[in-house]
Amino acid sequence: MREIIEIGDMVIDVTRKSVKHVHLSVHPPNGRVTLVAPSATRLEVARAYAISKLGWIRDQQTRLINQVRESPRQFIGRESHFLWGRRYLMSVIEKDERPSVKLDHRTIHLTVRPESSPAKRAEVIHEWHKTLLHGVVPGIIRKWEARLGVKASRYFLQRMKTKWGGCNPTAATIRLNTELVKKPKDLLEYVIVHELMHLLEPRHSERFFELMSHHYPAWPEARRELNELPLGAEDWPQH
């Protein structure tokens, strides 16, 4: 039987799992809300928790609805693409050979097989983006591990719909959005510092932001700039 919590016009889907704490999530694209609760939690307790977080839920929903996204790319000649904050034009060469990408001072040269689909071209570019990120991310991580006195066990690159990064403090792993390859490198560094900081302070507590201000004083400006830049275009599934 489906369990729900209703707060005014808001409907929250409830799932029970073997977890220690209640966890709220707001999902793209339209701000659907879910709540995961420990198996023994009474529904009225979960509802009280959701009410206490109502302001946060509304803020997250507003951010999702207003979030700027790139227009979908077709990966065709003369199309604009961004790399490390700079605008490049795309050149497409159709050859019956293994797909590849080369970069010169203002052009991204994409070589693909004849009649390749936009999806295939996007896949080739995405793999190239990951290669570029793998070229710079480890050095930034090592720099900040030394400064913060922490050690990340591993990092992951992946497409992320609404976040620039993530951290699992227990496993000491961090995740980075592959869209960061399109942004200036100092903003990539800010995200890495933010996620590594969670190895010192898992929550966005007062201590977390004090640590950020101490080690990376420009973080408010970096966060503001990053959040004003668009995430990638997405084809959203219907829920």
Side-chain angles (χ1 to χ4, degrees):
M1 180 180 175
R2 181 191 181 200
E3 276 192 296
I4 63 170
I5 293 170
E6 295 183 273
I7 306 173
D9 60 350
M10 183 185 298
V11 177
I12 302 173
D13 281 294
V14 178
T15 303
R16 297 185 181 276
K17 291 185 178 179
S18 179
V19 294
K20 292 183 178 180
H21 305 289
V22 176
H23 180 71
L24 271 169
S25 297
V26 181
H27 304 272
N30 54 6
R32 181 175 61 93
V33 186
T34 60
L35 182 148
V36 176
S39 301
T41 302
R42 298 194 311 275
L43 194 61
E44 57 265 32
V45 173
R47 186 176 190 276
Y49 177 83
I51 290 172
S52 74
K53 297 293 184 180
L54 198 55
W56 176 84
I57 293 171
R58 296 296 191 195
D59 287 345
Q60 295 298 305
Q61 289 176 326
T62 300
R63 182 176 65 84
L64 284 174
I65 292 168
N66 294 334
Q67 192 159 30
V68 178
R69 291 197 171 270
E70 289 182 346
S71 58
R73 295 294 187 263
Q74 297 300 313
F75 302 93
I76 57 177
R78 305 296 297 173
E79 188 175 56
S80 293
H81 289 258
F82 284 84
L83 189 67
W84 303 130
R86 293 184 62 193
R87 178 177 173 267
Y88 291 81
L89 291 179
M90 178 161 285
S91 166
V92 179
I93 305 104
E94 294 190 350
K95 286 187 179 180
D96 195 12
E97 60 182 48
R98 185 176 179 178
S100 62
V101 187
K102 293 182 180 178
L103 182 71
D104 65 22
H105 66 291
R106 294 315 298 245
T107 307
I108 298 170
H109 300 278
L110 170 64
T111 300
V112 290
R113 298 188 191 279
E115 300 181 3
S116 61
S117 67
K120 177 60 181 176
R121 296 180 183 195
E123 180 185 333
V124 173
I125 291 293
H126 186 247
E127 289 303 313
W128 178 62
H129 282 167
K130 289 197 291 186
T131 299
L132 294 176
L133 285 164
H134 282 310
V136 298
V137 167
I140 299 174
I141 289 177
R142 287 193 297 268
K143 168 186 170 181
W144 285 97
E145 283 177 332
R147 292 189 181 185
L148 300 177
V150 299
K151 181 67 177 177
S153 63
R154 192 175 177 186
Y155 75 89
F156 301 92
L157 301 177
Q158 66 185 82
R159 290 187 178 95
M160 301 171 73
K161 292 183 177 180
T162 61
K163 296 166 63 177
W164 295 111
C167 177
N168 182 332
T170 303
T173 58
I174 66 172
R175 294 176 296 131
L176 301 170
N177 191 333
T178 49
E179 288 290 301
L180 286 165
V181 77
K182 301 176 183 179
K183 314 308 177 189
K185 286 183 181 178
D186 62 308
L187 299 184
L188 168 65
E189 182 169 32
Y190 155 68
V191 174
I192 290 173
V193 174
H194 181 112
E195 303 310 335
L196 287 175
M197 199 69 72
H198 280 305
L199 300 180
L200 292 174
E201 174 53 60
R203 299 176 299 110
H204 286 130
S205 63
E206 184 176 344
R207 177 174 180 260
F208 176 88
F209 292 109
E210 287 174 353
L211 288 168
M212 284 295 296
S213 295
H214 175 72
H215 291 284
Y216 200 91
W219 73 263
E221 293 78 14
R223 182 175 69 174
R224 189 179 308 113
E225 182 180 354
L226 187 58
N227 288 337
E228 288 174 355
L229 294 173
L231 277 169
E234 289 283 352
D235 291 325
W236 297 104
Q238 296 299 313
H239 294 286

